[in-house]
Amino acid sequence: MQESSTIKHSNSGRSRNFIEESIEEDIREGKNKGRVHTRFPPEPNGYLHIGHAKSICLNFGLGAKYKGLTNLRFDDTNPVKEELEYVDSIMEDVRWLGYDWGDRLYYASDYFEQLYEYAVILIKKGKAFVCDMQADEISATRGTPKRPGKESPYRNRSVAENLDLFERMRAGEFPDGARVLRARIDMASPNMHMRDPILYRIIHAAHHRTGDTWCIYPMYDFAHGQSDSIERITHSICTLEFEVHRPLYDWLIREIEIYAPRQIEFARLNLSYTVMSKRKLLKLVQEGHVNGWDDPRMPTISGLRRRGYTPDSIRNFAELIGVAKRDNVIDVSMLEFCIREDLNKRANRIMGVLNPLRVVIDNFPEGVVEEMEAVNNPEDPDAGTRRVPFSREILIEREDFMEDPPDKFFRLAPGREVRLRSAYIVRCESIEREPVTNIVTTIHCTYDPTTRSGMPNSNRKVKGTLHWVSAPHALESEIRLYNRLFRVPDPDDTEEGKSFKDYLNPDSLRVVTGYLEPAILTAKPGEKFQFERVGYFCVDKDSSGTNLVFNRVVPLKDSWTKAGG
RNA sequence: UGUCCGAUGGUGUAACUGGCAACACGUCUGACUCUGGAUCAGAAGAGUCCAGGUUCGAGCCCUGGUCGGACAACCA
């Protein structure tokens, strides 16, 4: 099965979103000579999730749509939080989604020297100063959103003293937290970010890329905008919470007198029945509520990948949900729709029974095995056919039999006929039970030898078609049935005294043994199948040899149980 | 008595920039079907947060409210 190859930029007649309108307006006005250059700027302090996927698709999509470029840049300005492991996983995820940054892999840490010089420029202009206050003092004098802050007593140091102190900060003369470099803007600004924000802090810690070269590190606000500027990014697409930072970025760029990108903010993605904050996801991992960042229940890209989501389905999802500035919560059913739509077209079918009930076909000769020919994918004629062994004893789904069924039950019941998919029509003749519990243990059927699929008499109408597997040939596999991780649509909305973890779904993972067609044996990790009438499943990396492990990607739509069946 | 942003069916996004609200998901019918899947046909569901104003005409413009979100880490 082909996973994903080329990305189509159909433009599909879809109306332009507000970002595209802004970009086209800029192009019309001749800004940047019509050039479009975007970037995806993650901090390597965690794994990417579906919300990042939205941003990745947006940025790389825009770059492609306007025949421009898109960079990958790690905003790695905080050595104590960032790790190489995250850098690697982020690159893998972006690539897996189908995007290519070419030779434009950058790190904010690549610009540390340049950033330092920018800081010196500000100091020389009297626009930045070294402040000796402690963190708590700075915090206390910053004021509140409603009350102005107080100016630092160090605010009016001479340029020469500031220059000297800043140089000595860099040289490592002071311990962590002793001093910071701050912009000199306006402590009374209604925008908190303009109240003499901190530009540089002292951190004696090794950086994953620059090692011990630096002991002062720029704050995100002093690195991000200028990094975009250095890379000549034309459109800095980011989420809403950075809207308030924009005046600061503009101020910095104006004072330093460098190229000014245009920042456009959009609303981040929220998904129902899950959490999206890195902090909360990290907590789920650390406290063992899930089995790692790539647990198939996680909304991380690696989790979705392991679950069995395809890059195409995620890209299509990003396209479908659109982009705007208002807060939004996308229903998971939208995501599920995207993966069903994709897998329906590309996943080969196979039969697998998850909750087996033994069926003996009394008039079928003992010891005989017939090879049935089954269509691999009715949606794709090129997918071909396969052989499925059929014998006297088969397994069907326990839910596909009812002793005393309601009218609308189209499956097996005493005296009733059903079609066994790709095989014969059978009739239920009798039932065997366990004497004490009275539980049905075996169904006895007879088959009609003239109704084998493909035979002239095979199109006789019967109400239902069942999937099955030959009992002696069945391959036992571990099947992991995943459900939503949380019981409530919005786990972030917590009642008094509760945390999001109180809403975890205790039934988010159920492990069962499945009995599968032997043809599945050659399946490789990552491969996806539709278990007919059941759902889509993906071979997990925990598989080994003949011990296959499957993750349920998503069940098939089921109008029978939904109708109360 | 803060600043900024937002408000359109259950959800999300549109409405050619002022011309009687569309598309997708979801929901519900029906057809078809060797997957109660897929496919096909159809339906219900908003009169655009509220109140004024401008206009022949307002979801789009103006004014004033209301509600929601963001902002007070030496995080990003």
Side-chain angles (χ1 to χ4, degrees), chain A residues 431-468:
Chain A
I431 303 169
E432 259 180 60
R433 307 165 189 284
E434 209 281 317
V436 180
T437 60
N438 219 31
I439 290 173
V440 176
T441 53
T442 303
I443 306 285
H444 286 273
C445 288
T446 53
Y447 83 114
D448 179 345
T450 68
T451 56
R452 176 173 166 161
S453 294
M455 282 180 168
N457 196 26
S458 71
N459 36 24
R460 223 177 81 206
K461 289 280 175 282
V462 284
K463 273 186 181 170
T465 299
L466 268 44
H467 61 279
W468 53 274

Side-chain angles (χ1 to χ4, degrees), chain A residues 165-226:
Chain A
L165 252 17
F166 188 49
E167 212 167 288
R168 288 163 60 195
M169 279 169 64
R170 175 180 184 166
E173 285 189 30
F174 313 116
D176 287 6
R179 293 181 220 264
V180 292
L181 183 74
R182 298 175 70 176
R184 197 163 180 277
I185 309 179
D186 177 11
M187 287 307 290
S189 170
N191 183 338
M192 298 290 289
H193 298 279
M194 300 298 273
R195 319 240 262 230
D196 293 4
I198 293 169
L199 270 21
Y200 266 92
R201 74 290 214 195
I202 300 169
I203 305 176
H204 290 272
H207 183 277
H208 70 105
R209 298 201 87 231
T210 60
D212 294 322
T213 312
W214 295 88
C215 62
I216 57 171
Y217 291 92
M219 297 289 289
Y220 172 85
D221 278 347
F222 192 69
H224 184 80
Q226 289 102 297

